[in-house]
Amino acid sequence: MIMKFNTKTIHGGQEHDPAYGAVMPPIYQTTTYAQSTPGGHKGYEYSRTHNPTRNALEKSFASLENGNFGLAFSSGMAAIDTVIKLLNPGDEIISSNDVYGGTYRLFTKVYEKYGIKFHFIDMEDATNVESYINDNTKLIWLETPSNPMLNIIDIRYIADIAKKNNVLIGVDNTFATPYLQQPLNLGADIVMHSATKYLGGHSDVVMGALIVNDTELAKNLYFHQNSSGAVPGPQDSFLMLRGIKTLHVRIQRHCENGKAIAEYLTNHSKIEKVYWPGFSDHPNHEIAKSQMKDFGGMLSFVTKGNNLEEAIKIVERLKLFTLAESLGGVESLSGHPASMTHASIPKEEREKTGVVDSLIRLSVGIEDIDDLLEDLKQALG
Ligand code: P1T
């Protein structure tokens, strides 16, 4: 049955459990499955390879992103790691330069030593990308909106370049979620999520996801998922499925609250700049409008004078916005990227992309907007 997105979050790829008709997927807390004779089983042999609860989740992931295949991993990093394992020594990857610090660390500290070469480039002007492609280029990797600068990258344009040059394109869709943006529909080959964030939505599960359309690519990724084994357990898969059921209503409220806070901050006398793709003067606002349904609940800002001590005081004074790593839960969080999420990127590199010492990142939750604004008002002083 063809479903609209708000139905897919609840029913996409789901069926009532064949054993007893359970409406919610049972948590199949088992590592293994009885065989009547060697190979005589009901489709499941061992839970690293397959588990019915995880399979239900993987079908939900695929449905949300309008893809044919979904894969669940024990973290977002494990999902990205699996993508990079498709490559061989000598291969090259072109990556957007404003990426989550852990992604940068995986690329530079883990994979460079296996002979994979990374080019970190500014993709805000998408015409920059093609000149970095050569015979060794196998993958273009990008985050949009990016973490933490909320840069917007033109997925359609880069997907066209990738296709023309026979290069894969992977999009980290964590900040947007499939409610706002569906990269496979825009021409991407691989969509990745830190499902830890908005998909789970309640800050209680660490998980990653990959979604693809191509059968050969899916087979290759399943091979690595099973071979390396960074898979989530059935309890976490259940929690993720439960979180996904409210994704559409949560993101709507995240967007409303995000907009109200972006507008409040941009008019505040102590704020120098607010990074949020919904502003008409955001460099790629028009692209954001064309590839996203709304602008999300993430934003970053710097205070006048770019003073580190002042920024630290603000995050210490915030009460409803908890100072913490991560994002995308129902509760509001604040973060200081330079010392927290992006500390693994050298100062010189991160400052090139705008991650200066006074940058504060907000993950705007779905609390009452008046209370959130009041909290910011008292913290900014
Ligand atoms: O934390 P994990 O589930 O392994 O996902 C890593 C990851 C990948 N991509 C993006 C865009 C991310 O934001 C993250 C994780 N980010 C944080 C923990 C953070 O606070 O930014």
Side-chain angles (χ1 to χ4, degrees), residues 170-200:
V171 176
D172 183 334
N173 204 28
T174 300
F175 269 38
T177 81
Y179 176 78
L180 297 177
Q181 169 175 285
Q182 298 181 340
L184 294 180
N185 291 353
L186 301 169
D189 297 298
I190 303 170
V191 177
M192 174 266 158
H193 282 277
S194 169
T196 315
K197 313 293 165 22
Y198 288 107
L199 296 185

Side-chain angles (χ1 to χ4, degrees), residues 53-285:
T53 319
R54 193 178 97 217
N55 273 14
L57 173 63
E58 292 182 324
K59 286 185 182 151
S60 170
F61 283 154
S63 165
L64 291 178
E65 286 287 3
N66 212 17
N68 293 331
F69 304 96
L71 297 91
F73 295 88
S74 54
S75 69
M77 291 322 304
I80 302 177
D81 182 73
T82 303
V83 174
I84 309 306
K85 282 184 174 136
L86 298 175
L87 277 67
N88 293 309
D91 287 347
E92 298 189 13
I93 297 178
I94 305 170
S95 168
S96 52
N97 60 358
D98 184 40
V99 288
Y100 169 57
T103 304
Y104 181 87
R105 180 176 56 201
L106 178 75
F107 288 175
T108 56
K109 297 271 165 53
V110 178
Y111 279 105
E112 269 181 0
K113 76 165 188 246
Y114 289 102
I116 294 174
K117 188 170 171 187
F118 294 86
H119 303 269
F120 294 94
I121 67 164
D122 176 1
M123 293 190 188
E124 275 195 288
D125 178 356
T127 61
N128 278 340
V129 176
E130 197 158 21
S131 65
Y132 288 86
I133 297 181
N134 62 43
D135 289 348
N136 297 326
T137 311
K138 293 289 152 41
L139 174 70
I140 300 173
W141 186 259
L142 58 96
E143 262 179 37
T144 181
S146 68
N147 181 0
M149 298 311 297
L150 287 301
N151 291 327
I152 298 293
I153 297 171
D154 190 338
I155 300 173
R156 275 190 203 92
Y157 186 93
I158 296 182
D160 281 349
I161 292 174
K163 208 140 286 156
K164 202 173 90 192
N165 289 280
N166 207 16
V167 171
L168 287 175
I169 164 172
V171 176
D172 183 334
N173 204 28
T174 300
F175 269 38
T177 81
Y179 176 78
L180 297 177
Q181 169 175 285
Q182 298 181 340
L184 294 180
N185 291 353
L186 301 169
D189 297 298
I190 303 170
V191 177
M192 174 266 158
H193 282 277
S194 169
T196 315
K197 313 293 165 22
Y198 288 107
L199 296 185
H202 297 76
S203 304
D204 51 11
V205 184
V206 173
M207 198 182 285
L210 295 177
I211 303 98
V212 301
N213 272 329
D214 182 77
T215 307
E216 276 312 303
L217 181 57
K219 270 193 199 155
N220 213 341
L221 291 167
Y222 282 124
F223 170 80
H224 286 290
Q225 180 196 39
N226 184 44
S227 301
S228 295
V231 291
Q235 173 84 34
D236 281 359
S237 299
F238 172 87
L239 281 172
M240 184 56 56
L241 272 165
R242 189 163 80 161
I244 286 171
K245 286 182 194 295
T246 55
L247 178 68
H248 51 305
V249 283
R250 284 187 285 109
I251 302 299
Q252 250 179 341
R253 183 61 61 83
H254 282 294
C255 290
E256 282 168 25
N257 284 356
K259 178 173 195 283
I261 287 175
E263 283 167 357
Y264 170 76
L265 290 175
T266 203
N267 290 317
H268 196 285
S269 60
K270 292 199 174 161
I271 305 288
E272 176 73 38
K273 188 162 174 55
V274 181
Y275 298 93
W276 180 65
F279 289 132
S280 57
D281 63 353
H282 182 287
N284 278 343
H285 176 66

Side-chain angles (χ1 to χ4, degrees), residues 314-378:
I314 293 169
V315 292
E316 284 175 353
R317 282 196 293 250
L318 283 166
K319 293 193 172 79
L320 275 180
F321 283 85
T322 305
L323 176 62
E325 303 271 349
S326 204
L327 59 108
V330 289
E331 68 292 319
S332 293
L333 301 179
S334 69
H336 181 247
S339 64
M340 297 167 70
T341 47
H342 292 68
S344 51
I345 304 178
K347 185 175 164 75
E348 200 186 286
E349 280 303 310
R350 66 173 158 77
E351 290 200 336
K352 273 191 222 160
T353 62
V355 186
V356 295
D357 283 346
S358 77
L359 188 82
I360 294 173
R361 188 187 76 181
L362 297 181
S363 171
V364 179
I366 62 171
E367 300 93 336
D368 192 287
I369 186 61
D370 293 345
D371 294 334
L372 295 180
L373 290 171
E374 196 54 42
D375 192 27
L376 284 165
K377 190 172 165 193
Q378 65 79 22

